[in-house]
Amino acid sequence: MLYGVYNIDHLISTIRLGYQIGDDPWFGLAVTEKGLGAFENFVHSRYQLYLHVYSYKTVVGFKSLLEQAITELLSNDVFKKAFNDALSDISLFTTLTDATLWEGFKGVIMRKDYKNIFDRFHRIYKKYQAKYKNPDSNQICCMWSTKNPPDEIYECSQISDIEKEFKICLSELDVYELYDMKLDEATEYIIKKLETGNEENGKKTSY
């Protein structure tokens, strides 16, 4: 069934400027008597669109979810500033696309998944911390022997496990940054890697 169908050309051709004088003066748009049928079809078509399309439960539900998602996205100070900057600068506004919002949504989801990522990282940490019988200080360096610190930490099973678990590629710089972090800091670091899609670093073979 078609909704919202009416003769727009005929309706436009019958629009006139109307006015009324007297006790209740009025001035505005009006339609001729011949255009009443077209105008009634227009009003009815809008009613049908709202009844069967705009107010359809799926559309209303998705719109509500989208509004909530955008509200949550704008609660992030960094994104809110970027969004406001884009609204005040036409050159930045052109970069504000659907892709910008989707990337923002992905970032929100990733933040919500912090505990999950922390727990997964913690399992890897505990595996090696227990292996080397190091103190449980939540320092990533405790995944290696603290009595005999390694000369090389880049190509080793600890890093390979992290890469496989989170499906990311860590550069040598990433590895040495992580080595000096605590577990919560390392979790944030991994989240940022996941958010950026690892675009800044070259791929490394997993071991």
Side-chain angles (χ1 to χ4, degrees):
M1 183 177 291
L2 295 176
Y3 299 112
V5 178
Y6 57 93
N7 191 338
I8 184 65
D9 293 328
H10 177 57
L11 177 59
I12 290 175
S13 69
T14 62
I15 292 177
R16 302 287 188 274
L17 287 176
Y19 68 92
Q20 178 176 304
I21 58 177
D23 295 335
D24 189 17
W26 171 86
F27 179 79
L29 293 177
V31 294
T32 65
E33 186 174 353
K34 290 183 179 180
L36 287 178
F39 182 71
E40 288 173 352
N41 287 338
F42 167 74
V43 173
H44 183 69
S45 70
R46 302 306 294 176
Y47 166 76
Q48 291 291 328
L49 282 172
Y50 274 97
L51 183 64
H52 299 288
V53 179
Y54 302 145
S55 298
Y56 186 64
K57 59 182 181 181
T58 303
V59 175
V60 173
F62 182 78
K63 182 180 178 182
S64 177
L65 289 174
L66 184 60
E67 287 176 350
Q68 291 179 41
I70 292 175
T71 298
E72 187 168 356
L73 185 59
L74 290 175
S75 67
N76 181 290
D77 292 338
V78 175
F79 189 88
K80 185 176 182 179
K81 183 180 184 304
F83 189 80
N84 288 333
D85 289 344
L87 292 180
S88 59
D89 187 333
I90 190 63
S91 63
L92 294 176
F93 183 76
T94 58
T95 67
L96 192 62
T97 64
D98 290 349
T100 307
L101 291 178
W102 284 121
E103 287 302 313
F105 294 151
K106 285 166 60 179
V108 170
I109 293 171
M110 206 65 70
R111 292 290 166 183
K112 284 187 172 183
D113 205 31
Y114 175 88
K115 185 178 185 303
N116 173 267
I117 294 174
F118 180 91
D119 290 344
R120 289 158 62 190
F121 206 146
H122 188 255
R123 284 196 296 270
I124 300 172
Y125 163 81
K126 289 295 291 184
K127 171 184 173 182
Y128 290 100
Q129 176 263 326
K131 175 182 177 181
Y132 292 108
K133 299 180 180 179
N134 291 323
D136 189 5
S137 63
N138 276 347
Q139 293 281 353
I140 299 302
C141 63
C142 290
M143 292 173 62
W144 289 265
S145 173
T146 55
K147 293 181 180 179
N148 298 298
D151 295 327
E152 176 60 57
I153 62 172
Y154 180 48
E155 298 180 351
C156 61
S157 59
Q158 290 93 325
I159 299 305
S160 180
D161 283 356
I162 294 171
E163 289 182 322
K164 288 177 181 178
E165 178 66 30
F166 298 108
K167 296 181 174 58
I168 58 175
C169 295
L170 297 173
S171 69
E172 190 168 0
L173 178 60
D174 290 328
V175 172
Y176 284 101
E177 289 276 356
L178 287 170
Y179 185 82
D180 292 326
M181 292 180 180
K182 287 188 175 182
L183 190 56
D184 57 344
E185 297 172 326
T187 300
E188 291 284 352
Y189 195 89
I190 293 298
I191 288 174
K192 289 179 181 178
K193 293 291 291 183
L194 292 169
E195 287 177 346
T196 58
N198 199 33
E199 294 175 356
E200 297 178 357
N201 300 293
K203 291 189 175 180
K204 167 181 166 311
T205 303
S206 296
Y207 295 90

